[in-house]
Amino acid sequence: MSLSLTYEGVGKTFDPSGKNPVRALDNVSFRIEPGELFCLLGPSGCGKTTLLRCTAGLESITGGKIFYGDRDVTSIPPFRRNIGMVFQSFALYPHMSVYENVAYGLRVRKVPEAQVRVKVTEMMELVGLPDVLKRNPSPTALSGGQQQRVAVARALVYDPEILLLDEPLANLDAKLRRHMRAEIRRIQKITNITTIFVTHDQEEAMAIGDRLAVLRHGVVEQIGTSDQLYHNPESAFVANFIGKMNFFHGRVSATTNDSVTVETAVKGVAVTASGEKVRIHGDRALGREVLIGARPEQLSISRTKDPHGLPGTVSIIQHLGQFVRYEVQTEGGIAERALEVDVDHLIPDLNEGDPVFVRIDEKNAGVYDSEGER
Amino acid sequence: MSKAVIDTKESWIERILKKDWTPYVVFAIPLIFLSIFLFWPLVTTLLRAFLGPGFAMNFENLGTENFSRFFTSRLYQRSLRNSLIIGFAVVVTTAFIGIPMGYCVARVKMPFKNLLLSLGILPIIMPSFIGAFSWIILLGRQGVVRLFLNTFLTPLGIEIPSIYGLFGIIFTMSLALYPFVFLLSYGAFSSANPLLEEAAMMMGSSRWRIMRTITLPLVIPSLGASAILVFIRSIGNFGIPAILGGEQYVLPTLIYFRVNGFWDLNGAAAIATVSIFITGGMLLLQKFVISRREYETISASRSEHKLHTHWAARLFATLYCGIVLLLSMAPNIAIIIMSFFERWRGPYPEGFTWNNYLRIPQVISSEIFNSLYLAVSASIITAVLGCLIAYIVERRRPKGAIILDLAVMAPFILPGIVVSVALLSAFSSGSILALGGTYTIIIISFTIRRTPYVFRSVVASLSQLDETLEESSMISGANWVYTFRRVSLPLIMPGILAGTILTFATLLQELSTTVLLYSARTRTVPIQIFAAVQDGFFGEGAAMSVMLLVTVFIVVYIMNRMLGRSVSSSFKLG
Ligand SMILES: Nc1ncnc2c1ncn2[C@@H]1O[C@H](COP(=O)(O)OP(=O)(O)OP(=O)(O)O)[C@@H](O)[C@H]1O
Ligand SMILES: [Mg+2]
């Protein structure tokens, strides 16, 4: 039976009375469902590790409460919480054999030797390393991927109620990483333990997580499934962090109940974001500076003058297998970076250096606050 | 929310019971030990300094008479002056010996570098009072080297002075303490960022100018640290001035004289107080003057220093280092020769004999037992205490851990004889806990003095130890005592062993603390050697010294062989 995990206004300030206190977590509140594989995603230094360590009890929180199921664990030390954790460095004990490493949590719990043997063997089979026990080497003699599996086995062997993984794949090479994330998902689904998986790799998070939370400066920006985060990002930050997003500067020139018209910096070119999927966030007062966001596949290119198109110059053409990516340099400060436009087929006779017009799919464009960095 | 309701019902008693108190209990053990055996003795020392002369703790004639002797007594003034002269002079001479040596070994292409570096630490490990003793053999009034040199120099109107007195003290201390400067400046010169120097070279600076404006300022923090260390060691040293001082007293010998000659512990307490203030002042000076000038000298880039390869530089470096090493080793050779003879006055030793060695079992068997017993028990206590404090300070960090941190380092600035004065002040017969003349008081003094070494060595290994190993153990359900036992302890064992064995080796030769604390029952080998030298039984003293030197050497050698590799090997995976 798995537990839910609830955060109620959790805050963490390092060195609160010192010279420069660091506010690593600020009023974090959300709930992870029993048996869920939940991803914490965010750029470096946003507080992912801190939230995980607070969940484990390795750091004491400076505000709010944390519940495992109904049990308030806020002031309970880590060793009374019955959790499992896999560290980025794996933290295998170099002075113990693989068997003893995996058995460690059972030894602590004074489980009889016969049962230990059964449990350890079972776990090593689950993580796909049944043969390693025959030689039973020191963990230092294992490859990165094997160490990773041993670390997972060690964390699961005593049936913890919660499993915490802090960038468990960061030390592996790219290919192994993709393989291991599927493995972790498989194991998690078999054991059905409520799991938090920390990563700063959005692709990894989207591939593995049932739901994910995007953290920024210690604040939860948005929570949802990967589909929700990709298609309905609530802020420019999330939009840019999950997948690619092109942004245009503009000013609100007209609003209705379900649409916003934004005047771009190019004279006479306005974009009216409307339609079902459009998300309009924040204050939309007339004249306000906003950002229009569109995914690369939501832009199109034409070579003929288009009254609703933004003028620019093709700078790079990349063939990426399934699609072709055009990078278009715009003028007059419409966009800060070159636009990325993905189209299905190569456009004939369009070369690097040619002038083009980029059009935004108005049904899919989003309007975001221009405040705050992306 | 229902959870919130449940939570407010939980009483404060429950909350206290739920809390994990073991860290605090363990925290209390070293704190209590240090309070009783360090803080309290220091407080009583300070108190006694203001009492009338004698051993008694009576508050009737309260006053500053003990201190006023520094203004009225010529002996006191001379001792203070001598101590300061010696301190500064030794800082200067060790700098002159050690810095060029460090520079040569770091920057000149020369042979035997590793040998120099490993032999270089020997003078630190070997007992300095034995060095003083052997210099008497070589440079005493009838010393062979002195007579030899004087036959050449007298016609020129020069005479080598005898080793007794200030000159001899400074000379011997310099040879005993230069390794600190040598090793620290070697470290600084070999790690200072070579890119800075190369940049200056490209801008056309001369070598000397680079040395003056770039290299020296970069290594000054290390040099400052070693200078302070040398100063504190030299003014705290008891053995050398006790053997070579003659009429010239210094603060430690004055303390000894006060207690043993006048039976005036309170007077000694005042001298001890003054000496604590001097060393304390030096440390503050270092903190505020030198550490402020710390620069980033260790570069991330692994750029190598260009070594000097000119033949003259190489010749000079080899000769210079060779001579220093020879000078610091010469005493050991002299003492070995001496141990086989009855006398050595004049050019040749006389009266070859095995007796000096053969008599050892009858003369000092109980002293040998005492030395081993005291050193072993103190080493064990020191290891446990040092580990515990290191673990608390480095890992648990409860509020107040800083007290432990400071307390455990305090003995670094307390000379051995000051520690014994403090312990006598608190525990001499008549006090609540009378320990005078017991093994216990010596073991305590050893423990207080040596805990910093084990502490440092354990802190060093702990900081090498990946903390997530311990966290991972806690997550697995182990409380921190279990974690310490199963995870931390096995992994820092090499560090603990290294610190403890080194402690054991130094305790075998400890003189300055025991000299005030021993009784007829608790005499040790160093005390016996000291007495033999003072009474002029050089042959016997030399044989015992050789025995001690060999023992210490073997212990250190075995430690190096056993732990050399495992100490340096990292504990981290991957
Ligand atoms: N022990 C500490 N003392 C002070 N500040 C800390 C401490 N640990 C973390 N911080 C600060 O808290 C913030 C969040 O750090 P955290 O390690 O949680 O980030 P992260 O999201 O895990 O980053 P990364 O992806 O680089 O691992 C950072 O600003 C960091 O500097
Ligand atoms: Mg992190």
Side-chain angles (χ1 to χ4, degrees), chain A residues 6 8 53 56 58 65 67 69-70 72 75-80 83-85 87 89 91-96 100 104-105 107-109 140 154 158, chain B residues 1 3-4 6-7 10 15 17-20 22 466 468-480 482-483 486-487 490-491 571-574:
Chain A
T6 312
E8 272 182 26
R53 290 172 59 84
L58 292 171
K65 283 183 181 146
F67 296 91
D70 285 339
D72 179 357
S75 56
I76 292 182
F79 51 87
R80 299 219 189 104
I83 48 180
M85 185 159 173
F87 293 83
S89 60
L92 297 177
Y93 310 127
H95 60 303
M96 297 181 193
E100 280 307 315
Y104 189 81
R107 302 247 183 265
V108 174
R109 288 169 175 73
T140 39
R154 185 179 65 178
Y158 45 85
Chain B
M1 244 173 144
K3 287 164 201 150
I6 295 168
D7 195 61
E10 179 184 79
R15 227 172 297 147
L17 289 179
K18 239 167 52 180
K19 210 171 151 78
D20 178 28
T22 29
D466 188 355
T468 56
L469 292 180
E470 290 155 337
E471 290 176 346
S472 160
S473 161
M474 301 254 232
I475 296 278
S476 301
N479 65 17
W480 78 272
Y482 191 99
T483 300
R486 287 288 311 276
V487 177
L491 289 172
F571 301 119
K572 285 183 184 167
L573 268 180

Side-chain angles (χ1 to χ4, degrees), chain A residues 7 10 24-31 38-41 46 51 212-224 229 234-235 237-238:
Chain A
Y7 300 91
V10 170
L25 293 176
D26 192 5
N27 196 17
V28 171
S29 299
F30 63 93
R31 183 181 144 93
F38 192 90
C39 274
L40 278 181
L41 180 63
C46 68
L51 185 58
L212 26 156
V214 179
L215 241 63
R216 178 197 187 194
H217 295 328
V219 178
V220 176
E221 273 298 288
Q222 191 175 352
I223 294 179
L229 291 186
E234 283 171 9
S235 63
F237 175 77
V238 174

